[in-house]
Amino acid sequence: MYLFLTILTYALSVVHFAYGYKEALRISDEVGRVNGWSFIFSVPLGFIFAFFSDYFYTLS
């Protein structure tokens, strides 16, 4: 069970970090005001899922 949660949270972490990277590239190319809420939420979620991935890995 913990192995499944480890893999799931690891995948979610990678997805959120990749999405945050894509949004950072998009924001850096904009001129004027930008809406960076997706970047603001995706990076902390990536860290949260990375923490849970490590936590579930140590439990298994």
Side-chain angles (χ1 to χ4, degrees):
M1 178 65 181
Y2 290 120
L3 181 62
F4 171 73
L5 290 174
T6 301
I7 293 170
L8 177 68
T9 54
Y10 177 76
L12 288 171
S13 174
V14 169
V15 166
H16 279 92
F17 280 130
Y19 185 74
Y21 181 74
K22 181 188 78 79
E23 286 296 310
L25 289 178
R26 185 184 64 82
I27 288 171
S28 67
D29 196 31
E30 294 289 326
V31 176
R33 291 186 68 159
V34 295
N35 187 3
W37 286 110
S38 59
F39 176 76
I40 291 170
F41 286 122
S42 64
V43 172
L45 282 174
F47 280 111
I48 290 169
F49 284 124
F51 169 76
F52 281 125
S53 177
D54 180 58
Y55 178 73
F56 291 134
Y57 179 73
T58 57
L59 288 179
S60 62

